[in-house]
Each structure stands twice: as structure tokens, then as C-alpha cells.
Amino acid sequence: MKTILLIAHLIAIATGTGMSIANYINIRIASGETGDRRAALAFLRRILARIGDIVILAIWITGIGLWLNLPPQDGPNSWFIVKMGFVVLLTLCHGLARMTAGKMMRSGDQSLYPRMELLVSGVWISALAAIILAVLAFET
């Protein structure tokens, strides 16, 4: 069971990493666009964000499942604790990016693109670190 959970966990984190890199590229392209092209890229970001919500939920569920399957005498190791910090950072950056995107959509404030870029970068860097740390934390 632990191996299946680990596979699902790593796939979820890898999916989140790929999606956040795609979102980062989208933001970089959209910052120089206007009109319909910018609107189409914003629509794509909204779709990626909705899927991202599900992916982050999958990361948390599989991660908690892995934690619950740790042997009681071992408990979480230091790699796991550091990994959890990066998962919390990933979740925080994702949530703040979603809030910033909502603010951009409501107000039309295009000056928030640099903040979005920073937050999305935080998501994919945190996810990348979490993948590496998950392998170290859950080695069999």
C-alpha cells in the first residue's frame, strides 16, 4: 500500500510542477499581450488553477496517507518534515496566486502580473523541492 501511495503522491506532485511551469509561461506571455489574446490566456490560467486545486488536494491526501503508513517506531524523519514545509509553501503560494488572479480579474489591474509570476514560481519551485524530498523521506 505504501508503494502505491508513494507513486500516486509523486505523480500528483509532478503534475502540479508541470502545470505550474505551464502557468508561469502563460503569465510571461500574457504580460505582453492585449485584447482577446490576453483574455484567452487568462481563461487558460483559470482552467489550470481549477485543476491545480484538485492536484493540491491529491498531494495532501496521498501525503497524509503516506504519513499514516509510517511505522510507529520510526515516525517522520527530517526529510519528511522539510518536505512538509515545502508542501505548505506550495499550498500557500497557490492560494495567494488564486487570490491575486481573482483580484486581477475583478479590477483589471495589470500591474499584478509580477506578483503572479513570483507566486507561480513559488509553486513550481516548492513542488520540485517536494518531489526530491519525498523520494528521500519515503525511501523503501
Side-chain angles (χ1 to χ4, degrees):
M1 180 63 154
K2 181 180 172 185
T3 304
I4 293 170
L5 276 172
L6 180 57
I7 290 168
H9 190 63
L10 292 174
I11 288 171
I13 296 173
T15 302
T17 305
M19 288 177 56
S20 58
I21 290 171
N23 210 7
Y24 175 80
I25 292 168
N26 178 309
I27 290 167
R28 297 284 297 172
I29 292 170
S31 65
E33 295 294 337
T34 57
D36 288 343
R37 293 180 82 169
R38 180 175 270 184
L41 291 168
F43 178 73
L44 176 60
R45 282 195 308 275
R46 283 193 301 276
I47 291 171
L48 285 173
R50 287 182 187 136
I51 296 169
D53 292 342
I54 296 166
V55 169
I56 288 178
L57 181 63
I59 290 169
W60 275 99
I61 289 171
T62 57
I64 290 169
L66 282 167
W67 182 67
L68 293 174
N69 280 314
L70 288 174
Q73 69 274 14
D74 290 348
N77 59 29
S78 57
W79 294 116
F80 179 82
I81 293 167
V82 174
K83 176 196 160 308
M84 284 304 301
F86 278 104
V87 173
V88 168
L89 180 63
L90 179 156
T91 306
L92 181 67
C93 287
H94 175 75
L96 290 172
R98 293 276 280 158
M99 288 173 30
T100 303
K103 186 176 181 180
M104 285 173 63
M105 197 168 142
R106 285 187 303 278
S107 68
D109 185 3
Q110 304 306 315
S111 67
L112 294 174
Y113 270 101
R115 181 185 298 170
M116 280 291 294
E117 188 176 327
L118 177 67
L119 291 169
V120 171
S121 295
V123 171
W124 72 261
I125 290 170
S126 298
L128 189 60
I131 290 172
I132 294 165
L133 293 166
V135 171
L136 296 170
F138 298 113
E139 61 184 283
T140 54

